[in-house]
Amino acid sequence: MELLFVVLGGAILGFVLHYALPDGDTRGVLLAPASGAVVAAIVWEVLTWAGWPADGGWIWVVALVLPAVVAFVVCRVAAARRRAHDSEHFARLVRSAS
């Protein structure tokens, strides 16, 4: 049951980051929530296999902070790469039209 809550928390954090960060039009709306949910599930499972108790506080902190960090990085990298790719594509189209 805790896995469900932590995955939901990772997805919600991803949604919040998607709408809170700039350049939301450069990435899909599900990119950040999906990455947050996947990382939350993996981190939770690894930590429980490592022996961290599910009723401990640190497992929740790590399992929710790490997906937020990953979702933040994914949003920023995706936006930067998309802007760079769009600029390059536009320049190539302008060169070919001349």
Side-chain angles (χ1 to χ4, degrees):
M1 185 59 99
E2 291 90 0
L3 180 61
L4 174 69
F5 292 138
V6 79
V7 169
L8 184 62
I12 290 171
L13 287 170
F15 270 121
V16 168
L17 284 171
H18 171 74
Y19 288 109
L21 293 174
D23 298 326
D25 60 333
T26 61
R27 60 186 174 268
V29 71
L30 292 179
L31 180 65
S35 63
V38 167
V39 170
I42 291 171
V43 167
W44 183 268
E45 287 301 317
V46 167
L47 292 178
T48 55
W49 289 340
W52 289 30
D55 59 349
W58 284 110
I59 192 170
W60 288 95
V61 170
V62 172
L64 291 175
V65 169
L66 198 56
V69 170
V70 169
F72 176 81
V73 170
V74 165
C75 286
R76 301 302 290 173
V77 168
R81 289 188 57 151
R82 176 66 184 263
R83 292 283 183 213
H85 182 267
D86 286 352
S87 301
E88 178 185 312
H89 186 64
F90 180 72
R92 189 170 50 240
L93 287 174
V94 168
R95 282 193 309 267
S96 68
S98 306

